[in-house]
Amino acid sequence: MTTSVENEAAEAQAAERLLTALQTRTACAPVREFIGPTDLAAAYRVQERLTAGRVAAGATIVGRKIGLTSAAVQEQMGVDQPDFGVVFDDMAYSDGDEVPIDRLLQPKAEAEVAFVLKADLADGPLDTEQIRAAVDYGVAAIEICDSRIAGWDIAFADTVADNASSGVYVLGTDRKTLDEFSPVDVGMRMLINGEEVSTGNGAACLGDPLNAVAWLARAARDFGEPLRAGQVILSGALGPMRPLAAGDDVTVEIIGLGTVNARFSEGNTHE
Protein backbone atom coordinates (compact mmCIF):
# COMPACT_ATOMS: atom_id res chain seq x y z
CA MET A 1 0.00 0.00 0.00
CA THR A 2 1.41 3.37 -1.02
CA THR A 3 1.61 6.24 1.43
CA SER A 4 0.50 9.83 0.87
CA VAL A 5 4.16 10.85 0.74
CA GLU A 6 4.81 8.30 -2.00
CA ASN A 7 1.74 9.45 -3.91
CA GLU A 8 2.83 13.07 -3.66
CA ALA A 9 6.29 12.19 -4.92
CA ALA A 10 4.81 10.29 -7.88
CA GLU A 11 2.54 13.20 -8.76
CA ALA A 12 5.49 15.59 -8.60
CA GLN A 13 7.43 13.34 -10.99
CA ALA A 14 4.50 13.27 -13.40
CA ALA A 15 4.15 17.05 -13.34
CA GLU A 16 7.89 17.55 -13.82
CA ARG A 17 7.88 15.25 -16.85
CA LEU A 18 5.02 17.19 -18.46
CA LEU A 19 6.50 20.61 -17.65
CA THR A 20 9.83 19.57 -19.15
CA ALA A 21 8.07 18.34 -22.30
CA LEU A 22 6.19 21.64 -22.54
CA GLN A 23 9.26 23.79 -21.99
CA THR A 24 11.55 21.84 -24.32
CA ARG A 25 8.84 21.07 -26.91
CA THR A 26 9.87 17.44 -26.77
CA ALA A 27 7.24 14.72 -26.40
CA CYS A 28 7.58 12.48 -23.37
CA ALA A 29 6.53 9.04 -22.15
CA PRO A 30 3.07 8.66 -20.56
CA VAL A 31 2.71 9.71 -16.92
CA ARG A 32 0.35 6.86 -16.01
CA GLU A 33 3.38 4.93 -14.81
CA PHE A 34 3.42 7.37 -11.88
CA ILE A 35 -0.30 7.83 -11.17
CA GLY A 36 -2.05 4.90 -12.84
CA PRO A 37 -4.27 5.08 -15.95
CA THR A 38 -7.61 5.95 -14.30
CA ASP A 39 -6.93 7.80 -11.03
CA LEU A 40 -8.94 10.96 -11.68
CA ALA A 41 -8.05 12.74 -8.43
CA ALA A 42 -4.33 12.14 -8.89
CA ALA A 43 -4.49 13.27 -12.52
CA TYR A 44 -6.14 16.57 -11.59
CA ARG A 45 -3.58 17.13 -8.83
CA VAL A 46 -0.86 16.73 -11.46
CA GLN A 47 -2.73 19.20 -13.68
CA GLU A 48 -2.82 21.65 -10.76
CA ARG A 49 0.95 21.33 -10.40
CA LEU A 50 1.33 21.95 -14.11
CA THR A 51 -0.93 25.00 -13.87
CA ALA A 52 1.06 26.37 -10.94
CA GLY A 53 4.24 25.97 -12.97
CA ARG A 54 2.73 27.81 -15.91
CA VAL A 55 1.50 30.66 -13.71
CA ALA A 56 4.86 30.91 -11.97
CA ALA A 57 6.45 31.29 -15.41
CA GLY A 58 4.17 34.25 -16.20
CA ALA A 59 1.05 32.76 -17.82
CA THR A 60 -2.40 34.04 -16.84
CA ILE A 61 -5.50 31.86 -16.55
CA VAL A 62 -8.26 33.19 -18.85
CA GLY A 63 -10.72 30.30 -18.92
CA ARG A 64 -11.30 26.57 -19.16
CA LYS A 65 -11.67 23.92 -21.84
CA ILE A 66 -13.84 20.83 -21.86
CA GLY A 67 -12.64 17.61 -23.43
CA LEU A 68 -14.03 14.14 -24.09
CA THR A 69 -17.56 15.44 -24.75
CA SER A 70 -18.19 12.87 -27.47
CA ALA A 71 -19.74 9.54 -26.41
CA ALA A 72 -17.61 7.76 -29.01
CA VAL A 73 -14.39 9.26 -27.66
CA GLN A 74 -15.41 8.47 -24.07
CA GLU A 75 -15.97 4.86 -25.07
CA GLN A 76 -12.60 4.79 -26.80
CA MET A 77 -10.91 6.11 -23.63
CA GLY A 78 -12.88 3.82 -21.34
CA VAL A 79 -14.46 6.67 -19.35
CA ASP A 80 -18.00 7.86 -18.71
CA GLN A 81 -17.42 11.58 -18.25
CA PRO A 82 -15.69 14.55 -19.86
CA ASP A 83 -12.55 16.19 -18.53
CA PHE A 84 -11.41 19.79 -18.26
CA GLY A 85 -8.26 21.85 -18.55
CA VAL A 86 -7.08 25.40 -18.02
CA VAL A 87 -6.96 28.02 -20.77
CA PHE A 88 -4.02 30.45 -20.56
CA ASP A 89 -3.57 33.84 -22.17
CA ASP A 90 -0.67 32.66 -24.34
CA MET A 91 -2.91 30.04 -25.99
CA ALA A 92 -5.16 32.65 -27.65
CA TYR A 93 -5.22 33.60 -31.33
CA SER A 94 -7.68 35.65 -33.38
CA ASP A 95 -9.54 34.99 -36.61
CA GLY A 96 -7.15 35.15 -39.57
CA ASP A 97 -3.99 34.80 -37.50
CA GLU A 98 -0.97 32.83 -38.58
CA VAL A 99 -0.08 30.34 -35.85
CA PRO A 100 3.54 29.15 -35.73
CA ILE A 101 3.21 25.40 -35.70
CA ASP A 102 6.52 24.82 -33.97
CA ARG A 103 4.99 25.79 -30.64
CA LEU A 104 2.93 22.61 -30.92
CA LEU A 105 4.06 18.99 -30.86
CA GLN A 106 1.28 16.84 -32.34
CA PRO A 107 -1.54 19.24 -33.24
CA LYS A 108 -5.06 18.20 -34.09
CA ALA A 109 -7.81 20.68 -34.99
CA GLU A 110 -11.41 20.54 -33.87
CA ALA A 111 -14.36 22.89 -34.26
CA GLU A 112 -16.42 24.09 -31.34
CA VAL A 113 -18.54 26.81 -29.82
CA ALA A 114 -16.69 29.05 -27.37
CA PHE A 115 -18.54 31.06 -24.76
CA VAL A 116 -17.51 34.14 -22.81
CA LEU A 117 -19.10 34.55 -19.38
CA LYS A 118 -20.61 37.74 -17.96
CA ALA A 119 -21.27 36.31 -14.48
CA ASP A 120 -19.56 33.99 -12.05
CA LEU A 121 -20.72 30.37 -11.85
CA ALA A 122 -19.79 29.73 -8.25
CA ASP A 123 -23.10 29.45 -6.37
CA GLY A 124 -26.56 28.07 -6.94
CA PRO A 125 -27.73 24.94 -8.79
CA LEU A 126 -25.49 25.56 -11.82
CA ASP A 127 -28.26 24.21 -14.06
CA THR A 128 -28.78 25.06 -17.71
CA GLU A 129 -30.99 28.04 -16.86
CA GLN A 130 -28.26 29.56 -14.70
CA ILE A 131 -25.66 28.80 -17.36
CA ARG A 132 -27.73 30.60 -20.03
CA ALA A 133 -28.02 33.67 -17.82
CA ALA A 134 -24.26 33.71 -17.22
CA VAL A 135 -23.23 33.55 -20.89
CA ASP A 136 -22.35 36.89 -22.45
CA TYR A 137 -21.94 35.58 -26.01
CA GLY A 138 -20.78 32.68 -28.12
CA VAL A 139 -18.29 32.60 -31.00
CA ALA A 140 -17.07 30.06 -33.52
CA ALA A 141 -13.76 28.57 -32.41
CA ILE A 142 -10.95 26.34 -33.60
CA GLU A 143 -9.31 24.44 -30.80
CA ILE A 144 -5.94 22.91 -31.52
CA CYS A 145 -5.53 19.98 -29.20
CA ASP A 146 -2.00 18.83 -28.52
CA SER A 147 -0.34 16.18 -26.39
CA ARG A 148 2.97 16.24 -24.62
CA ILE A 149 2.72 12.43 -24.58
CA ALA A 150 4.59 10.92 -27.53
CA GLY A 151 2.38 9.40 -30.22
CA TRP A 152 -0.82 10.43 -28.42
CA ASP A 153 -0.31 7.27 -26.33
CA ILE A 154 -2.76 8.42 -23.67
CA ALA A 155 -4.99 6.89 -21.05
CA PHE A 156 -7.58 9.02 -19.22
CA ALA A 157 -5.14 10.02 -16.49
CA ASP A 158 -2.52 11.06 -19.06
CA THR A 159 -4.80 13.49 -20.87
CA VAL A 160 -6.23 14.96 -17.65
CA ALA A 161 -2.76 15.48 -16.17
CA ASP A 162 -1.58 17.03 -19.44
CA ASN A 163 -4.09 19.88 -19.11
CA ALA A 164 -6.73 17.94 -21.06
CA SER A 165 -4.38 17.73 -24.07
CA SER A 166 -4.62 21.47 -24.69
CA GLY A 167 -2.72 23.43 -27.31
CA VAL A 168 -3.99 26.75 -28.63
CA TYR A 169 -7.31 28.18 -29.76
CA VAL A 170 -8.62 30.66 -32.31
CA LEU A 171 -11.78 32.71 -31.78
CA GLY A 172 -14.03 34.15 -34.47
CA THR A 173 -15.19 37.76 -34.47
CA ASP A 174 -18.95 37.25 -34.93
CA ARG A 175 -20.28 37.39 -31.37
CA LYS A 176 -23.83 36.16 -30.80
CA THR A 177 -25.92 36.17 -27.64
CA LEU A 178 -28.05 33.18 -26.76
CA ASP A 179 -31.07 35.18 -27.93
CA GLU A 180 -29.46 35.24 -31.38
CA PHE A 181 -28.45 31.58 -31.76
CA SER A 182 -29.17 28.20 -30.24
CA PRO A 183 -25.99 26.20 -29.51
CA VAL A 184 -27.72 22.82 -29.74
CA ASP A 185 -29.02 23.62 -33.23
CA VAL A 186 -25.78 24.73 -34.89
CA GLY A 187 -24.27 22.80 -37.78
CA MET A 188 -20.52 22.67 -38.37
CA ARG A 189 -18.10 21.97 -41.15
CA MET A 190 -14.31 22.20 -40.92
CA LEU A 191 -12.09 22.60 -43.94
CA ILE A 192 -8.33 22.12 -44.18
CA ASN A 193 -6.79 23.65 -47.30
CA GLY A 194 -10.28 24.00 -48.75
CA GLU A 195 -11.22 20.35 -48.31
CA GLU A 196 -14.05 19.39 -45.97
CA VAL A 197 -12.56 17.11 -43.31
CA SER A 198 -15.07 17.16 -40.45
CA THR A 199 -18.77 17.83 -39.95
CA GLY A 200 -20.98 17.83 -36.89
CA ASN A 201 -23.57 19.68 -34.84
CA GLY A 202 -24.35 21.08 -31.43
CA ALA A 203 -26.04 17.90 -30.23
CA ALA A 204 -22.72 16.03 -30.62
CA CYS A 205 -21.34 17.99 -27.65
CA LEU A 206 -22.93 16.27 -24.60
CA GLY A 207 -26.32 16.74 -26.27
CA ASP A 208 -25.94 20.54 -26.16
CA PRO A 209 -22.83 22.73 -25.66
CA LEU A 210 -24.66 24.38 -22.75
CA ASN A 211 -24.87 20.97 -21.05
CA ALA A 212 -21.09 20.80 -21.36
CA VAL A 213 -20.70 24.21 -19.71
CA ALA A 214 -23.06 23.18 -16.92
CA TRP A 215 -20.99 20.03 -16.32
CA LEU A 216 -17.82 22.12 -16.28
CA ALA A 217 -19.28 24.69 -13.88
CA ARG A 218 -20.11 21.97 -11.37
CA ALA A 219 -16.79 20.17 -11.80
CA ALA A 220 -14.79 23.40 -11.49
CA ARG A 221 -16.65 24.33 -8.31
CA ASP A 222 -16.08 20.85 -6.88
CA PHE A 223 -12.35 21.29 -7.51
CA GLY A 224 -12.37 24.64 -5.74
CA GLU A 225 -11.84 26.95 -8.73
CA PRO A 226 -15.29 28.08 -9.98
CA LEU A 227 -15.80 29.67 -13.38
CA ARG A 228 -15.63 33.47 -13.32
CA ALA A 229 -17.04 36.37 -15.30
CA GLY A 230 -14.90 37.25 -18.32
CA GLN A 231 -13.53 33.75 -18.77
CA VAL A 232 -13.45 31.97 -22.13
CA ILE A 233 -15.01 28.50 -22.15
CA LEU A 234 -14.11 26.10 -24.96
CA SER A 235 -17.15 23.83 -24.78
CA GLY A 236 -15.99 20.75 -26.70
CA ALA A 237 -15.83 19.34 -30.19
CA LEU A 238 -18.82 19.37 -32.55
CA GLY A 239 -17.23 16.71 -34.76
CA PRO A 240 -14.09 14.62 -35.25
CA MET A 241 -10.65 16.23 -34.81
CA ARG A 242 -8.12 16.15 -37.63
CA PRO A 243 -4.28 16.28 -37.59
CA LEU A 244 -2.45 19.39 -38.79
CA ALA A 245 0.81 19.98 -40.63
CA ALA A 246 2.88 23.09 -41.37
CA GLY A 247 1.28 25.18 -44.08
CA ASP A 248 -2.27 24.01 -43.39
CA ASP A 249 -5.09 26.53 -43.61
CA VAL A 250 -8.07 25.74 -41.36
CA THR A 251 -11.54 27.21 -41.66
CA VAL A 252 -14.46 26.38 -39.41
CA GLU A 253 -17.98 27.31 -40.44
CA ILE A 254 -20.68 27.13 -37.78
CA ILE A 255 -24.15 27.77 -39.12
CA GLY A 256 -25.75 30.53 -37.08
CA LEU A 257 -22.47 31.62 -35.55
CA GLY A 258 -20.12 32.51 -38.40
CA THR A 259 -16.66 31.38 -39.45
CA VAL A 260 -13.14 31.38 -38.07
CA ASN A 261 -9.85 30.81 -39.89
CA ALA A 262 -6.18 30.30 -39.10
CA ARG A 263 -3.08 29.25 -40.99
CA PHE A 264 -0.32 27.17 -39.42
CA SER A 265 3.12 28.31 -40.48
CA GLU A 266 6.64 27.00 -39.88
CA GLY A 267 7.56 30.15 -37.93
CA ASN A 268 9.70 30.14 -34.80
CA THR A 269 8.03 30.93 -31.47
CA HIS A 270 10.63 30.05 -28.88
CA GLU A 271 9.75 32.73 -26.38
Side-chain angles (χ1 to χ4, degrees):
M1 183 175 177
T2 58
T3 67
S4 59
V5 172
E6 289 171 329
N7 288 337
E8 187 172 345
E11 291 162 13
Q13 285 180 287
E16 182 62 28
R17 177 177 289 181
L18 290 169
L19 273 172
T20 299
L22 181 69
Q23 292 164 353
T24 63
R25 293 179 171 86
T26 303
C28 64
V31 296
R32 57 183 179 269
E33 67 177 278
F34 300 120
I35 59 174
T38 59
D39 189 335
L40 188 65
Y44 277 114
R45 287 194 295 269
V46 174
Q47 185 188 117
E48 288 174 351
R49 288 174 177 270
L50 199 67
T51 296
R54 294 289 315 278
V55 170
T60 299
I61 297 171
V62 297
R64 299 287 181 88
K65 64 154 287 184
I66 310 167
L68 302 177
T69 54
S70 158
V73 175
Q74 287 184 18
E75 184 175 351
Q76 181 184 16
M77 296 292 292
V79 299
D80 60 359
Q81 62 181 303
D83 68 350
F84 68 83
V86 176
V87 175
F88 297 98
D89 57 339
D90 62 359
M91 294 166 57
Y93 288 87
S94 301
D95 185 30
D97 277 356
E98 192 165 280
V99 181
I101 204 166
D102 81 329
R103 69 168 293 175
L104 302 161
L105 294 176
Q106 307 168 96
K108 297 183 179 185
E110 60 185 29
E112 50 193 87
V113 178
F115 298 99
V116 174
L117 301 179
K118 62 183 177 182
D120 291 351
L121 286 169
D123 302 307
L126 300 181
D127 55 14
T128 304
E129 183 178 353
Q130 185 178 355
I131 301 304
R132 290 187 64 89
V135 169
D136 191 4
Y137 59 85
V139 296
I142 305 168
E143 183 187 354
I144 310 304
C145 297
D146 199 13
S147 180
R148 269 52 62 181
I149 309 297
W152 280 90
D153 176 17
I154 55 174
F156 189 44
D158 292 305
T159 188
V160 169
D162 188 23
N163 198 28
S165 300
S166 62
V168 301
Y169 68 97
V170 188
L171 296 185
T173 56
D174 193 1
R175 300 176 176 181
K176 295 285 185 69
T177 69
L178 294 180
D179 291 331
E180 297 174 306
F181 87 108
S182 173
V184 70
D185 293 326
V186 300
M188 177 280 291
R189 61 195 296 255
M190 181 168 68
L191 300 92
I192 297 180
N193 304 325
E195 177 184 354
E196 184 177 282
V197 296
S198 179
T199 60
N201 54 59
C205 180
L206 283 188
D208 183 334
L210 292 177
N211 292 342
V213 180
W215 174 87
L216 173 65
R218 293 189 291 269
R221 183 171 67 182
D222 288 346
F223 276 84
E225 293 292 341
L227 304 183
R228 299 298 183 185
Q231 290 189 331
V232 176
I233 307 300
L234 303 176
S235 66
L238 303 178
M241 65 172 62
R242 295 291 183 246
L244 289 178
D248 281 348
D249 186 278
V250 180
T251 298
V252 164
E253 301 173 354
I254 299 183
I255 298 169
L257 200 54
T259 65
V260 57
N261 169 266
R263 182 176 181 275
F264 293 83
S265 73
E266 295 192 45
N268 189 308
T269 66
H270 292 272
E271 294 118 353

